[in-house]
């Protein structure tokens, strides 16, 4: 039978870490020992043998306790002598065995506690080492960074130019649309698209039979009128001669009876008047017939369409054998029947939209330069020709659009355009609004404003080795661009700080 110390049993059941060692049972009487040794235990197992004197050591597991619970698998083996052998060691008391078990348990608990403390201490040490390593790396990285010095610049003298850039399209200074004034069939076309023409050059001709018939009729009418005039003139000559003869005879008569026998000159003169009137009427008919002929010829001349200006043929919508329509004239605007457009490109204009923020800096006559996207190496000089006083409808800002601003149209004229430039080419215009030679300039980042005044920080001393000091100085800004300010109030070569 196994005996358990109550205290040891409580420690075993309350602790999940430390196994409880059962106390060995010491027989009080040989009969009891013999009875115990002959009875079969419920469960046994043999442990590793050790020599304790002449007796063999046998490890016997504790029997099942009341209630069916199994014995502790880690129980301390009990040393018993084999059958037939008497125990040579004196049996210890039960109190001594209980105290020894308690000491063993307490020693194991203290050892586990020390082990846990060692693990926790190791974790803390590792954490402290990691923190120190991170802090050291940060300090090393900061120490390795170069020393940040304040940037400075020097006041320099240079030619200052302020410009405003805008985009637009090349346009002809003047252009005209060719529209025939008469109906007919295109007889012949003398130009092609892109042809250079001069004022008065023939562009194309039109056939019109009605005009030909009208000219022929006017010629016939004029011929008849001329014949009638010739006949009237002949009658007037004859009447005049008759009058002269009658007058002479009448004046030559010696007596009244002879005069009475002759035609009276006044009567004969009436024939002269009548013949003169007939001559004047014939003369008027000739004149009217000539007018009709001239009118017909003038109308017929419109069959030949000529260029009203010198320039280049931009568009060509006419072809031989096509029918024409009556338009509003050669100088009409787009509409009706426009068969051709001719533009004067001896001068060209570029119209650009300029923001309201910049329009106040632009004046008529300011120089400009024009470049073209399609012509990489072409740059033309230009001049501001006109500035609109009102915004264009397409250039007005949209409602609730804070980023958009009103724009004004500005025309620049190119007086000597490159022959490669074509109407409609995209271009960029650079207008020079300021040009100051030998100006004192500093970077715009060096200038700051306070209470409506402009200032810079002037560096005095050697800034390269840190042995310097700065002094705030008031300046006057004469002109400004995005990167440079023209100033007054400092000398050339002065060193100034650049605001970061």
């Amino acid at each position: 039978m196994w005996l358990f110390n109550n205290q040891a049993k409580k420690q075993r059941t309350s602790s999940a870490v430390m196994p409880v060692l059962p106390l060995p049972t010491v027989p009080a009487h040989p009969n009891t020992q013999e009875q115990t040794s002959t009875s079969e235990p419920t469960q046994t197992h043999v442990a590793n043998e050790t020599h304790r004197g002449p007796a063999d050591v046998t490890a016997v597991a504790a029997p099942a306790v009341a209630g069916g619970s199994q014995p502790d698998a880690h129980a301390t083996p009990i040393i018993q002598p084999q059958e037939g052998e008497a125990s040579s060691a004196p049996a210890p008391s039960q109190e001594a065995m209980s105290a020894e078990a308690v000491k063993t348990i307490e020693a194991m608990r203290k050892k586990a506690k020390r082990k846990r403390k060692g693990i926790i201490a190791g974790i803390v040490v590792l954490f402290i080492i990691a923190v120190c390593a991170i802090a050291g790396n940060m300090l090393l990285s900061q120490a390795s960074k170069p020393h940040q010095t304040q940037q400075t610049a020097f006041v320099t003298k240079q030619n200052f130019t302020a410009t405003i850039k805008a985009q637009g399209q090349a346009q002809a200074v003047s252009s005209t649309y060719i529209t025939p004034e008469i109906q007919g069939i295109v007889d012949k076309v003398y130009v092609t698209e892109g042809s250079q023409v001069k004022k008065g050059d023939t562009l194309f001709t039109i056939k019109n039979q009605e005009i030909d018939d009208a000219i022929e009729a006017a010629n016939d009418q004029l011929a008849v009128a001329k014949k009638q005039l010739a006949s009237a003139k002949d009658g007037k000559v004859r009447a005049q001669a008759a009058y002269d003869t009658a007058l002479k005879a009448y004046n030559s008569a010696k007596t009244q009876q002879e005069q009475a026998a002759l035609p009276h000159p006044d009567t004969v003169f009436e024939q002269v008047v009548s013949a003169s009137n007939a001559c004047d009427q014939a003369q008027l008919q000739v004149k009217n017939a000539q007018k009709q002929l001239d009118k017909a010829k003038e109308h017929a001349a419109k069959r030949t369409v000529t260029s009203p200006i010198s320039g280049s043929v931009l568009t060509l919508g006419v072809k031989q054998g096509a029918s024409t329509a009556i338009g509003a004239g050669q100088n009409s605007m787009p509409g009706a029947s426009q068969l051709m457009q001719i533009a004067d490109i001896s001068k060209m204009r570029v119209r650009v939209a300029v923001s309201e923020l910049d329009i106040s800096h632009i004046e008529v006559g300011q120089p400009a330069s024009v470049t073209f996207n399609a012509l990489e190496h072409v740059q033309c000089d230009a001049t501001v020709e006109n500035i609109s006083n009102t915004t264009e409808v397409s250039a007005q800002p949209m409602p609730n659009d804070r980023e958009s601003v009103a724009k004004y149209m500005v025309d620049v004229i190119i007086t000597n355009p490159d022959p490669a430039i074509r109407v409609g080419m995209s271009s960029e215009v650079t207008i020079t609004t300021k040009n100051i030679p030998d100006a004192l300039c500093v970077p715009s980042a060096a200038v700051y404003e306070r209470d409506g005044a402009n200032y810079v920080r002037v560096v005095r001393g050697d800034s390269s080795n840190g042995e310097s000091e700065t002094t705030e100085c008031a300046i006057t800004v004469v002109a400004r661009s995005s990167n440079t300010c023209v100033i007054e109030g400092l000398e050339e070569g002065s060193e100034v700080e650049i605001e970061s």
Side-chain angles (χ1 to χ4, degrees):
M1 181 179 69
W2 293 81
L3 297 178
F4 295 90
N5 183 275
N6 290 335
Q7 184 178 2
K9 184 177 180 180
K10 291 179 181 180
Q11 292 292 336
R12 186 187 65 185
T13 57
S14 62
S15 174
V17 179
M18 298 299 178
V20 177
L21 298 177
L23 296 175
T25 304
V26 180
H29 194 271
N31 293 333
T32 305
Q33 180 180 2
E34 182 179 0
Q35 184 179 356
T36 304
S37 63
T38 57
S39 63
E40 291 183 5
T42 304
Q43 187 176 8
T44 61
H45 69 275
V46 179
N48 294 330
E49 293 184 354
T50 58
H51 294 282
R52 292 177 58 90
D56 293 335
V57 179
T58 303
V60 182
V65 297
S69 60
Q70 296 295 326
D72 195 341
H74 298 83
T76 302
I78 302 173
I79 303 173
Q80 291 182 343
Q82 294 183 357
E83 293 183 4
E85 293 182 0
S87 178
S88 60
S93 64
Q94 184 175 357
E95 290 78 1
M97 293 298 293
S98 298
E100 184 179 356
V102 170
K103 290 180 180 180
T104 303
I105 293 172
E106 290 297 329
M108 294 178 69
R109 291 180 64 183
K110 289 180 180 180
K111 183 178 180 180
K113 186 174 181 181
R114 287 195 300 270
K115 185 176 181 180
R116 287 196 301 270
K117 289 183 178 179
I119 293 173
I120 294 173
I123 294 174
V124 172
V125 171
L126 290 176
F127 177 76
I128 294 174
I129 293 174
V131 171
C132 292
I134 294 173
N137 288 333
M138 294 177 63
L139 293 175
L140 289 175
S141 62
Q142 291 181 356
S144 62
K145 289 183 179 179
H147 180 65
Q148 299 291 336
T149 59
Q150 179 67 45
Q151 292 185 346
T152 62
F154 292 93
V155 178
T156 60
K157 184 176 290 187
Q158 56 183 305
N159 294 331
F160 174 81
T161 301
T163 60
I164 295 175
K165 292 186 177 182
Q167 287 71 39
Q169 290 184 333
Q171 302 175 358
V173 172
S174 63
S175 65
T176 182
Y177 292 87
I178 306 301
T179 301
E181 298 181 72
I182 61 174
Q183 289 181 333
I185 302 299
V186 177
D187 185 26
K188 189 174 181 180
V189 181
Y190 293 89
V191 296
T192 59
E193 189 170 328
S195 298
Q196 299 292 323
V197 297
K198 295 180 180 179
K199 183 178 181 179
D201 287 352
T202 300
L203 304 176
F204 59 94
T205 57
I206 300 173
K207 292 189 298 184
N208 189 311
Q209 188 60 42
E210 293 180 359
I211 294 177
D212 294 338
D213 294 341
I215 292 176
E216 184 177 357
N219 279 324
D220 292 343
Q221 187 178 0
L222 179 60
V224 171
K226 286 181 177 181
K227 287 181 180 180
Q228 292 176 352
L229 177 60
S231 177
K233 286 181 178 181
D234 185 61
K236 181 180 179 180
V237 170
R238 289 195 303 270
Q240 185 65 39
Y243 172 73
D244 292 340
T245 301
L247 181 59
K248 182 177 180 181
Y250 187 83
N251 292 332
S252 299
K254 297 180 179 180
T255 63
Q256 291 183 352
Q257 291 79 6
E258 290 180 357
Q259 289 180 341
L262 297 173
H264 195 278
D266 293 341
T267 303
V268 179
F269 185 74
E270 291 178 357
Q271 295 177 358
V272 175
V273 173
S274 177
S276 179
N277 291 336
C279 186
D280 292 341
Q281 187 65 30
Q283 185 69 41
L284 182 60
Q285 290 178 355
V286 170
K287 186 177 181 179
N288 290 336
Q290 186 65 51
K291 286 182 178 180
Q292 292 296 324
L293 180 60
D294 293 342
K295 185 176 181 180
K297 288 182 177 181
E298 182 180 356
H299 191 60
K302 294 179 180 179
R303 295 176 300 179
T304 300
V305 181
T306 60
S307 177
I309 62 173
S310 297
S312 176
V313 178
L314 297 184
T315 60
L316 184 64
V318 61
K319 60 181 180 179
Q320 187 174 0
S323 176
T324 64
I326 298 177
Q330 291 180 334
N331 295 324
S332 63
M333 292 301 291
S337 176
Q338 296 142 11
L339 302 182
M340 192 180 302
Q341 181 186 6
I342 298 177
D344 179 10
I345 57 175
S346 60
K347 295 181 180 180
M348 300 197 74
R349 177 184 294 113
V350 180
R351 172 165 287 190
V352 296
V354 178
S355 165
E356 63 180 343
L357 304 177
D358 298 325
I359 195 65
S360 61
H361 302 295
I362 298 179
E363 300 175 358
V364 173
Q366 287 176 337
S369 62
V370 184
T371 57
F372 301 87
N373 297 343
L375 305 174
E376 183 178 356
H377 301 292
V378 174
Q379 178 174 331
C380 299
D381 295 332
T383 305
V384 176
E385 180 187 41
N386 181 62
I387 304 171
S388 63
N389 293 322
T390 58
T391 60
E392 294 290 328
V393 174
S394 59
Q396 292 179 349
M398 299 299 293
N400 302 325
D401 188 355
R402 297 181 178 180
E403 295 184 359
S404 63
V405 294
K407 295 183 180 297
Y408 295 82
M409 304 311 296
V410 177
D411 294 334
V412 297
I413 190 76
I414 304 174
T415 57
N416 188 23
D418 190 278
I421 300 174
R422 296 290 181 267
V423 174
M425 280 187 172
S426 298
S427 57
E428 183 179 69
V429 177
T430 303
I431 302 173
T432 302
T433 58
K434 286 282 186 181
N435 188 13
I436 306 175
D438 296 332
L440 292 176
C441 301
V442 295
S444 298
V447 181
Y448 60 94
E449 184 177 351
R450 187 177 68 248
D451 298 332
N454 294 302
Y455 298 89
V456 295
R457 296 188 183 277
V458 178
V459 179
R460 306 188 187 281
D462 189 359
S463 61
S464 60
N465 56 14
E467 296 180 359
S468 63
E469 60 180 11
T470 59
T471 304
E472 183 180 69
C473 294
I475 59 170
T476 300
V477 177
V478 178
R480 185 193 301 266
S481 67
S482 59
N483 299 321
T484 306
C485 284
V486 178
I487 64 169
E488 293 179 350
L490 293 179
E491 296 181 354
E492 182 182 5
S494 299
E495 186 177 8
V496 296
E497 281 189 354
I498 296 178
E499 295 293 319
S500 58

